[in-house]
Amino acid sequence: MSSRNRKIKHYFRKYWALFMGGAVFLVLTNIASLAIPKHLGSAVQKMRDAAADGELLNFDLSIIESHGKWIILLAIGAGLARIFSRVAIFYAGRFIEYDVRNELYEKLTRLSPGWFASMPTGDLTSRVTNDVNFVRTLFAITFLHVINTTIAYGLALEKMLALNVTLTIWSLLAFPVLLVFVRLIVQALFTQTKIVQAQLSTISSRVQENLAGKTVVKTYGIEKRESARFLELNEEYLKKNLKLATIRGGLSTNITLIPGAGALVVLLVGAEMVVQGTITLGEYVEFSGYVAALAFPTLAMGWVFSVWNRGNAALDRVLEVLEAPEEITERGDATELPDMDGPRGAIEFENVSFAYADGDDEAISNVSLSIPAGTTAAIVGRTGSGKSTLVRLLARFYDPTAGSITIDGQPLTTLKLRQTRSETGMVPQDPFLFSMTIGQNVRFGLDALEFDDTVDRPLPTKSLMGEGEVDVDTRREEALRIAGIYEDLQAFPRGLDTMVGERGITLSGGQKQRVTIARALLVDPRVLVLDDALSSVDTHTEKQILDHLDSIMEGRTTIIVTHRFNALSRVDKIFVLDEGRLVESGTHEELCQSGGVYSQLFEHQKLREELDNE
Amino acid sequence: MSENRKKQNAIGSGFKEQELGQISDAQIAKRLWSYMRPYGFWFAVSLLLLPLVTAAQLLQPHILQIAIDEYLVPKKLEGLSLIVALFGGSVVAHAALQFIQFYIMQWAGQRALRDLRQAVFDHVQTLSVSFFNKNPIGRLMARMTTDVESLQEALSSGMVTMVGDLFTLGAIVVILLVKDWQFALVTFTVVPPLLVATAICRHFLRAALREIRVKIARLYAHLQESITGMPVIQLFVRENISLAEYKDINLDYRHANFQSIRYDAILFAVVEAVGSIAVGVIVWYGSGKVLEGVVTLGVLIAFIEYMQKFFVPIRDLAQKYNLFQSAMASSERIFQLLDNQERVQRASEPVDMSHAPFEIEFRNVCFHYVEDEPVLKNVSFHIKPGERLALVGHTGSGKSTIINLLMRLYDPISGQILVNGVDIKLLDIQQYRRIFAVVLQDVFLFQGTIGDNITLGDASVSDSELEEATKIARANVLINRYGKGFEHPVSERGSNLSAGERQLISFSRALVHKPEILVLDEATANVDTETEALIQEAVEALMARQTSVVIAHRLSTIQNADRILVLHRGEVLEDGSHDELLANGGHYTRLYRLQYAA
């Protein structure tokens, strides 16, 4: 069985009670509503007979009136059953949607950056939003209509055949043709809707481009050209929309035609039968009632085919995400990082090589390096030399293709993934902040320690700047001071409660970087990694921050990835990467004397300064 | 953490909506009409077809009545085929007229929407930079896409047929009253309960739908941000917390949906049940009248048929009204944007531009972006024809602002900018801007080809001019490197080209437009040494050709300038050549040491 069918079965089974309940009520509602034509037909026939007998005044009206009462009762009963059937089935659909959304989110949290890189953001977004909706309709709409139509046809056909076989055959003749029509039109509707949506997104990106490039547009005065370019797309959009509208018009024409055609055929064939006495007038009216009752279920089937197809395609796309292989997993026997009294955070790379899935060359080739616990190391090199890759390997966003990485003697792959990450304070290159308050962003990493039982680490309470224990808020303030951002935040009217992205307040790149540094410090990391995280901070502030870090990271390891050389005389050891290889290592002085890549880079930087100095 | 606090602080909680209610519905309708007027004839035709659609539809029960009374009851076959043909004709006519009416409405409506979309786009082109600073791109995008789409939705779901629905309802009431007013009144007793039930369901349904909209927006905001920030979530092992937040919102969303399902199911069932109840009432009450001979059997059947057609429009009306309301809200947002006149003032009767050479003068110019935070204080200086002027100063000294004012992206708060003695406010803005070519630090490239990005669609640029410009701007080397030359595709924002390549292309762009005055904000981006050399050569070549105003970051650029304007905190401190200024030993000397010396 394909995984899709398994999934469909799983959900039907999980919510079987709702589906079954819905089906039972669908049966009830159809039994009640399909009993109505019989009463109507009988009433009409009795009126007809009474009129024909000429015994109008002696006739017992109450028999006919009771048909009227029955019709009202059946209508109410059918209505109530209808409510329960729809509620049960649509609830099931929403329950499934809820589950699928949660499953998807949970899956996303387990997928690694490599997977995200392989999936275009727009594509992923549409899978986790639109496709989930289609999956819901796959269950709810399809089930409701397939069951309803089957029951309605089953019940009505039996009654129709009992009345007159010929009339039944004639009256149902038109339906299959119309059904095929509806199906084709709905298919075209779905296709054209996609085309229109694609055009809309083309328009959107053109508008976005125009807005982003407004300075060029204005200074070169090319507003007219932009307008013409937009008009082109706009016209195209008009055409596509009009086609879509035509298809919709065709569909609603069919919706009009189906009941009309049914009534017409019954009139065409049945009227003659009444006149010839093959069937009574009452039976004619009753029969018309059944044909009318089948119009909507017939239409619905035409629609259901497309909903089913679209739902299946959507489910496949959702399953591609849900069943994506997890590249980074935790071993069953994974252990925690060892508790240590002395210096912590020794890092060892042993013959590590790594190539990205989409890259031809190795990003890291056979790198071996060792950073003793409690020291500060720097990784330098030109753009593209593999510095950031090295950091990503350390965070276990990727596993090396060869070689091994250890923290405090434990291979990364044998350690508990999340517990280890929580002890690695990463400050990524891109200072990404979430649209929550700044304060909440800073304590981002504490939430897991405080509220998530699966992360087995106590909430750190040791003061960062002074001695002893302090509460969370004080500690956060200390982290902000160390990162040199506290004063800046005080200037905002709402301070730490300022919403990131709030109107009128923008954090500069350097401010964001400092907030992310505070965020990393707060989790009390064993290893702190600054991945080019001070690039937008001026050299004076950089020095201050590094001074602070030296004191608070005592006994733990700090790794600085940087382009700037002015901060490097302070670090214990510098590793120089070039084209993915470790080419040199040593202290600033040693490397300057050795005359290798580092001294070249450093000389180059000095030369440029001197050249400018002339 | 309390529930409330958790929700408030969840990822993506910075999501907000905009205020409405400043333009009256009548005004909105009037303004929408101004976009419909060009297609007024077709709108009119479409509307005039509505009564015909209704007539074709409501003819059917009447034909049925005749068939029963004249043929089926007396068992007469002669002439029955004509009745059947009439019935068939009205079925087909109903469908066909309905299609034609709908199509014409779409034909005209879609065109009106195209015009509106274009009007919004064109209007935004005229707005000033200060407007864009206040309005995030996302919001403007929403105006031009989502909001127009909401009108589109209203149009294509047949909001206009609301008129047709009302017409049908009215017609049925009249027809039944004419056929037998007492019978009709009794039959209509089922309508008030239906209206009440519909109104109640609609009320709750609307609240539920509003809740759904809010929740889905929150859900998607959380999701979108989680996807973007997933590495950070994983680094700080916040997966479970974020999932819990997400589940909370998801649960709220599900509950809102449950509510809507309940009321929707009730509404659906009520409308259907009332249709059948009406049949019961007609049979119950009508049977007596039939037996008394007051109404015929055919009339009774016709009553049933008419009442079947009565309830669906009532249900749809409410739904269409909702669409109508959201379309009105969207229209209001669109018109608010169209009403925004935040643009650089245009000269009502522009003075003719004088001819080259141009001399520019800043006279006592003051400027601020935010009240009480002056950026330029009483700045005065000249740019003489052919001069190469360098602007230097610390970050925040006002260099970029001078360029913004020079390009008239903003107007001075006080003081004047003059070109050959004429205030630039008196000139046609586009004509004025055309004497410049601007190269900014952050080079913007459009999706298209390299050639398009250089000419910016100016068809009058010949191939040889293009070649020439790229040669001077040193871009020819890189362009020739690509197999397709000028046809080489540029992806969104030029992301397939390096920073250095983008700069060289923007130099070519500036040159090909043959400016009288070149405005250059030198980029400081890190580029490889080879490209750096090319850029340096290109800048020198560029500056040598015409009057230039340059925010200089390269030493060579400053040295090549005829004059240097030293800015400090919005004031011109010093003015002179490199050597003169160095000899002075003033601010420039210190700045020079700080920025260009170690």
Side-chain angles (χ1 to χ4, degrees), chain B residues 252-504:
Chain B
D252 288 350
Y253 174 60
R254 196 185 77 196
H255 275 302
N257 274 308
F258 280 174
Q259 261 189 338
S260 123
I261 287 172
R262 285 199 297 273
Y263 295 116
D264 199 59
I266 294 173
L267 188 64
F268 186 88
V270 162
V271 172
E272 223 178 48
V274 168
S276 298
I277 289 172
V279 175
V281 170
I282 291 169
V283 169
W284 191 351
Y285 178 79
S287 54
K289 302 206 89 178
V290 171
L291 293 182
E292 284 163 26
V294 182
V295 296
T296 62
L297 257 184
V299 170
L300 185 114
I301 300 289
F303 260 67
I304 290 174
E305 291 288 318
Y306 280 119
M307 288 313 280
Q308 299 302 315
K309 298 186 192 303
F310 194 74
F311 299 108
V312 174
I314 290 188
R315 181 187 63 193
D316 291 357
L317 267 179
Q319 199 170 4
K320 285 173 185 167
Y321 183 69
N322 281 353
L323 274 177
F324 170 75
Q325 275 189 322
S326 77
M328 289 299 266
S330 289
S331 309
E332 176 166 2
R333 282 193 286 266
I334 293 169
F335 290 131
Q336 272 177 358
L337 173 60
L338 283 176
D339 284 346
N340 192 306
Q341 295 298 331
E342 200 168 333
R343 51 178 85 162
V344 170
Q345 208 61 46
R346 306 214 156 205
S348 49
E349 282 171 47
V351 175
D352 282 340
M353 260 320 265
S354 49
H355 295 287
F358 296 107
E359 170 159 2
I360 307 269
E361 184 190 353
F362 271 56
R363 191 183 286 168
N364 306 323
V365 170
C366 295
F367 185 77
H368 60 236
Y369 296 100
V370 184
E371 200 91 40
D372 294 330
E373 288 176 26
V375 180
L376 292 184
K377 299 174 214 164
N378 216 17
V379 168
S380 300
F381 63 90
H382 283 261
I383 309 168
K384 296 189 190 72
E387 194 172 41
R388 290 170 294 179
L389 179 75
L391 303 175
V392 299
H394 227 32
T395 316
S397 59
K399 305 181 300 264
S400 310
T401 305
I402 287 185
I403 298 230
N404 287 343
L405 294 182
L406 182 63
M407 293 314 301
R408 253 203 111 190
L409 295 176
Y410 301 86
D411 276 334
I413 304 294
S414 66
Q416 285 176 304
I417 301 168
L418 307 139
V419 53
N420 291 348
V422 181
D423 191 323
I424 60 172
K425 284 186 190 171
L426 302 175
L427 301 169
D428 176 79
I429 187 163
Q430 294 214 350
Q431 217 177 6
Y432 167 71
R433 279 178 181 159
R434 219 161 285 148
I435 65 178
F436 298 92
V438 186
V439 178
L440 294 180
Q441 275 202 21
D442 182 16
V443 174
F444 189 89
L445 296 187
F446 295 90
Q447 200 172 358
T449 64
I450 290 186
D452 277 346
N453 267 293
I454 297 175
T455 63
L456 291 176
D458 186 346
S460 69
V461 178
S462 70
D463 284 355
S464 60
E465 283 173 317
L466 194 57
E467 298 266 355
E468 174 74 12
T470 47
K471 206 176 283 173
I472 298 166
R474 305 295 187 269
N476 55 337
V477 184
L478 82 98
I479 291 169
N480 293 335
R481 210 181 306 158
Y482 297 117
K484 290 182 178 169
F486 290 116
E487 294 303 313
H488 185 73
V490 175
S491 57
E492 214 176 311
R493 304 256 193 141
S495 57
N496 59 338
L497 300 171
S498 75
E501 291 172 331
R502 289 202 292 267
Q503 278 193 43
L504 294 177

Side-chain angles (χ1 to χ4, degrees), chain B residues 79-103:
Chain B
L80 179 62
S81 52
L82 179 68
I83 292 295
V84 174
L86 262 179
F87 188 86
S90 68
V91 168
V92 173
H94 177 208
L97 283 171
Q98 188 187 319
F99 182 81
I100 294 168
Q101 184 274 329
F102 181 80
Y103 185 81

Side-chain angles (χ1 to χ4, degrees), chain A residues 381-549:
Chain A
R382 299 187 176 94
T383 313
S385 58
K387 304 186 296 290
S388 289
T389 305
L390 212 61
V391 170
R392 284 181 205 138
L393 291 174
L394 187 58
R396 240 196 125 195
F397 278 154
Y398 300 89
D399 278 338
T401 30
S404 80
I405 303 167
T406 61
I407 296 184
D408 284 331
Q410 307 296 315
L412 263 185
T413 46
T414 67
L415 286 166
K416 287 197 168 167
L417 177 63
R418 296 177 64 231
Q419 194 246 359
T420 309
R421 271 186 189 154
S422 84
E423 296 213 37
T424 322
M426 286 282 169
V427 187
Q429 228 169 10
D430 167 32
F432 185 84
L433 296 180
F434 292 87
S435 58
M436 33 170 73
T437 67
I438 295 176
Q440 186 64 20
N441 265 295
V442 177
R443 53 156 300 152
F444 195 77
L446 289 187
D447 290 338
L449 306 187
E450 192 169 357
F451 302 110
D452 184 353
D453 299 334
T454 64
V455 185
D456 190 20
R457 268 193 75 197
L459 192 66
T461 50
K462 196 179 159 297
S463 166
L464 290 169
M465 295 171 104
E467 290 299 311
E469 315 258 302
V470 291
D471 63 29
V472 175
D473 285 349
T474 316
R475 228 173 141 263
R476 180 168 64 180
E477 192 184 310
E478 289 175 345
L480 289 167
R481 283 187 196 279
I482 292 166
I485 184 71
Y486 186 75
E487 306 297 326
D488 297 45
L489 295 182
Q490 288 309 101
F492 294 147
R494 302 207 296 138
L496 279 175
D497 290 330
T498 305
M499 198 63 91
V500 170
E502 193 170 297
R503 257 211 269 179
I505 291 177
T506 34
L507 291 168
S508 70
Q511 286 174 323
K512 278 190 192 164
Q513 285 187 335
R514 282 176 280 159
V515 170
T516 58
I517 290 172
R519 177 172 74 186
L521 287 178
L522 216 49
V523 296
D524 206 18
R526 188 178 289 234
V527 184
L528 177 71
V529 183
L530 304 178
D531 186 2
D532 210 10
L534 291 160
S535 56
S536 307
V537 174
D538 64 73
T539 42
H540 176 68
T541 317
E542 178 182 22
K543 188 179 172 311
Q544 276 186 339
I545 294 173
L546 292 177
D547 284 344
H548 286 309
L549 288 183

Side-chain angles (χ1 to χ4, degrees), chain A residues 40 43 47-48 50 56 59 61 64-65 68-69 71-72 75 79 82-83 86 90-91 94-95 97-98 101-102 105-106 109 111 125 128-129 204 207-220 223 225-227 230-231 234-235 237-238 241-242 245-246 248-250 252-253 256 264 267-268 271-272 274-275 281 285 395 397 418 421-422 426 432 434-436 440 444-445 447-448 451-452 454 503 519 609 611-614, chain B residues 1 9 11-14 72-73 75 77 80 84 87-88 94-95 98-99 102-103 106-107 110-111 114 117-118 121-122 124-125 127 132 139 141 144-145 149 152 156 219-220 222-226 228-229 231-243 246-247 250-251 253-254 257-258 261-262 268-269 272-273 276-277 280 283-284 287 291 297 301 304 430 433 438 440 444 446-447 456-457 493 509-510 555 592 596-597:
Chain A
L40 178 60
M47 287 182 237
R48 163 86 182 82
L56 288 177
F59 193 77
L61 249 183
I64 299 179
E65 279 175 354
K69 286 178 202 163
I71 291 173
I72 294 173
R82 172 88 62 205
I83 293 173
R86 289 180 83 91
F90 288 157
Y91 266 37
R94 289 290 174 184
F95 270 116
E97 179 194 350
Y98 171 79
R101 286 190 193 282
N102 287 344
Y105 193 97
E106 197 182 353
T109 64
L111 288 167
T125 309
V128 293
T129 55
S204 298
V207 171
Q208 185 155 27
E209 183 183 58
N210 169 271
L211 295 175
K214 59 188 176 293
T215 317
V216 176
V217 172
K218 283 187 191 306
T219 53
Y220 281 94
E223 288 92 345
R225 170 184 99 120
E226 284 299 286
S227 177
F230 183 75
L231 185 64
N234 200 356
E235 292 284 2
Y237 192 50
L238 166 70
N241 256 319
L242 209 51
T246 312
R248 279 195 191 179
S252 60
T253 304
T256 308
L264 179 64
L267 186 67
L268 193 69
E272 216 175 300
V274 174
V275 174
L281 180 63
V285 171
F397 278 154
R418 296 177 64 231
R421 271 186 189 154
S422 84
M426 286 282 169
F432 185 84
F434 292 87
S435 58
M436 33 170 73
Q440 186 64 20
F444 195 77
D447 290 338
F451 302 110
D452 184 353
T454 64
R503 257 211 269 179
R519 177 172 74 186
E609 283 166 6
L611 201 79
D612 283 349
N613 218 351
E614 278 167 13
Chain B
M1 194 165 12
N9 285 329
I11 293 172
S13 50
L72 297 190
V73 172
K75 300 211 170 185
L77 201 54
L80 179 62
V84 174
F87 188 86
H94 177 208
Q98 188 187 319
F99 182 81
F102 181 80
Y103 185 81
Q106 294 299 319
W107 187 93
Q110 299 286 0
R111 277 172 170 72
R114 171 199 59 192
R117 210 176 278 119
Q118 193 70 29
F121 185 88
D122 290 353
V124 169
Q125 303 307 305
L127 295 173
F132 290 105
R139 190 175 311 155
M141 297 272 303
M144 270 180 266
T145 55
E149 278 317 293
Q152 175 96 31
S156 47
L219 193 73
Y220 285 174
H222 189 293
L223 186 59
Q224 195 67 56
E225 207 165 294
S226 299
T228 324
V232 181
I233 291 177
Q234 288 173 345
L235 281 175
F236 289 94
V237 297
R238 212 173 180 280
E239 299 98 330
N240 293 342
I241 304 279
S242 293
L243 176 62
Y246 185 76
K247 278 184 172 169
N250 199 5
L251 190 69
Y253 174 60
R254 196 185 77 196
N257 274 308
F258 280 174
I261 287 172
R262 285 199 297 273
F268 186 88
E272 223 178 48
S276 298
I277 289 172
V283 169
W284 191 351
S287 54
L291 293 182
L297 257 184
I301 300 289
I304 290 174
Q430 294 214 350
R433 279 178 181 159
V438 186
L440 294 180
F444 189 89
F446 295 90
Q447 200 172 358
L456 291 176
R493 304 256 193 141
R509 178 193 281 171
L555 187 67
Y592 175 77
Y596 303 97

Side-chain angles (χ1 to χ4, degrees), chain A residues 307-358:
Chain A
V307 170
W308 175 258
N309 285 341
R310 190 177 62 175
N312 272 324
L315 183 55
D316 282 342
R317 284 159 51 80
V318 166
L319 282 171
E320 266 173 41
V321 178
L322 286 179
E323 290 173 358
E326 284 165 34
E327 285 150 17
I328 305 297
T329 48
E330 188 174 279
R331 284 189 1 196
D333 59 348
T335 54
E336 293 189 0
L337 276 171
D339 272 331
M340 297 172 91
D341 289 331
R344 292 171 288 162
I347 307 281
E348 195 98 33
F349 277 63
E350 234 183 270
N351 304 322
V352 171
S353 295
F354 177 73
Y356 287 102
D358 57 352

Side-chain angles (χ1 to χ4, degrees), chain B residues 517-539:
Chain B
I517 301 172
L518 173 78
V519 175
L520 169 63
D521 190 352
E522 264 190 319
T524 45
N526 286 328
V527 291
D528 60 82
T529 33
E530 190 197 353
T531 318
E532 170 64 32
L534 282 177
I535 291 175
Q536 190 157 330
E537 278 179 43
V539 169

